[in-house]
Amino acid sequence: GSAGARKKSGRPSGVRSDAGPSPLGLRAPLRLRTFAPVATPLSLPGAKATLILSLSMTVLGVAGVAIGYGELTGGAMALEAPPGASEAAREAAARLEEGLRGDPIGHALGAANLVVSGLLVLASFMLTLRRKTALWWAGQAVAANALFAIAKPVARCATLLPFAAELVALQDDPTLTTFPAETVTAMMQGALAGWFVLEALILLAIYFILFRLSRREAVRAFVTREAPE
């Protein structure tokens, strides 16, 4: 080649040296910097389980607060017969609404629902903020809601079963008149009690899962890691 040809550099393409040329024209040795990967919060052990626990408690708590407010203020007890219903159905709806609005058990149930559901929302916020007492609050909130789930079907049966005849009349189904009134009323009471028990069992299963989740060692380690007071 010609005398003016440049020498090829042994440096890999796209790699820059941290040091420039020295005063004597010699290049400093190539130094490559390596950076450790930054851990995201969700990549920490127990972070995803804590997020699921917090979100579940928030959803259950907000729904419970809304239902409890409706029960306490009577908004959930507004009943109307369907359009085109018979006079008997409209009268049954009026009697049922009047009975539910004046029932002290229903109002007490709504107030209790507000309290225990508010505990779920409070515990979920404390989990999000990673307070040291967050898991204690979560355990108390889940236990309180589990007890409420057991008491709720009993209270609802005491409130609604006496109005089973009105509920049957509210169906406004002519085929029900072919059966004895006592039989249809008993069937309605059984259906109501079965539904309330099934609802309680589903809620108890959910609260059991949340309780086990809050007792995981990974969740405890994540919440208590450098957690504020």
Side-chain angles (χ1 to χ4, degrees), residues 7 17 30 64 104 111 141 163 174 190 209 214 223 225:
K7 295 182 180 180
S17 172
L30 181 66
F163 295 97
I209 294 173
S214 66
V223 174
R225 182 187 293 114

Side-chain angles (χ1 to χ4, degrees), residues 56-70:
S56 301
M57 296 177 73
T58 300
V59 172
L60 290 172
V62 171
V65 168
I67 295 174
Y69 179 79

Side-chain angles (χ1 to χ4, degrees), residues 67 71 149-150 152-154 156-157 160-161 167 186-204:
I67 295 174
E71 293 173 340
I150 296 174
K152 188 175 182 179
V154 178
R156 281 191 168 180
C157 286
L160 287 177
L161 292 190
L167 290 172
M187 291 175 60
M188 177 62 72
Q189 291 176 338
L192 287 174
W195 171 253
F196 294 151
V197 171
L198 178 61
E199 181 185 9
L201 291 177
I202 293 174
L203 288 175
L204 287 174

Side-chain angles (χ1 to χ4, degrees), residues 42 47-62 120-121 123-125 127-128 210 213:
L42 287 180
K48 293 182 179 179
T50 304
L51 178 62
I52 294 174
L53 177 62
S54 178
L55 288 177
S56 301
M57 296 177 73
T58 300
V59 172
L60 290 172
V62 171
L120 284 176
V121 177
S124 68
F125 285 161
L127 283 172
T128 303
L210 295 181
L213 196 60

Side-chain angles (χ1 to χ4, degrees), residues 91-215:
E91 291 178 357
R95 290 195 303 270
L96 181 59
E97 182 178 358
E98 182 181 359
L100 293 180
R101 286 186 181 276
D103 182 40
I105 297 178
H107 294 293
L109 197 66
N113 202 353
L114 281 176
V115 173
V116 297
S117 300
L119 283 176
L120 284 176
V121 177
L122 175 63
S124 68
F125 285 161
M126 296 189 73
L127 283 172
T128 303
L129 298 175
R130 295 173 60 194
R131 299 288 181 179
K132 287 187 176 181
T133 57
L135 291 178
W136 183 86
W137 280 103
Q140 301 303 311
V142 170
N145 279 268
L147 292 176
F148 179 74
I150 296 174
K152 188 175 182 179
V154 178
R156 281 191 168 180
C157 286
T159 300
L160 287 177
L161 292 190
F163 295 97
E166 282 76 13
L167 290 172
V168 172
L170 192 59
Q171 305 303 314
D172 202 18
D173 188 355
T175 59
L176 295 177
T177 59
T178 60
F179 300 94
E182 295 79 5
T183 302
V184 177
T185 302
M187 291 175 60
M188 177 62 72
Q189 291 176 338
L192 287 174
W195 171 253
F196 294 151
V197 171
L198 178 61
E199 181 185 9
L201 291 177
I202 293 174
L203 288 175
L204 287 174
I206 294 174
Y207 293 139
F208 178 74
I209 294 173
L210 295 181
F211 181 79
R212 292 291 302 271
L213 196 60
S214 66
R215 289 297 182 267

Side-chain angles (χ1 to χ4, degrees), residues 14-88:
V15 177
R16 298 182 60 182
S17 172
D18 288 345
S22 65
L24 298 178
L26 300 177
R27 291 186 176 276
L30 181 66
R31 292 179 298 175
L32 297 177
R33 293 181 179 179
T34 58
F35 299 93
V38 179
T40 60
L42 287 180
S43 65
L44 298 175
K48 293 182 179 179
T50 304
L51 178 62
I52 294 174
L53 177 62
S54 178
L55 288 177
S56 301
M57 296 177 73
T58 300
V59 172
L60 290 172
V62 171
V65 168
I67 295 174
Y69 179 79
E71 293 173 340
L72 187 61
T73 59
M77 303 170 188
L79 298 173
E80 292 183 2
S86 63
E87 184 65 25

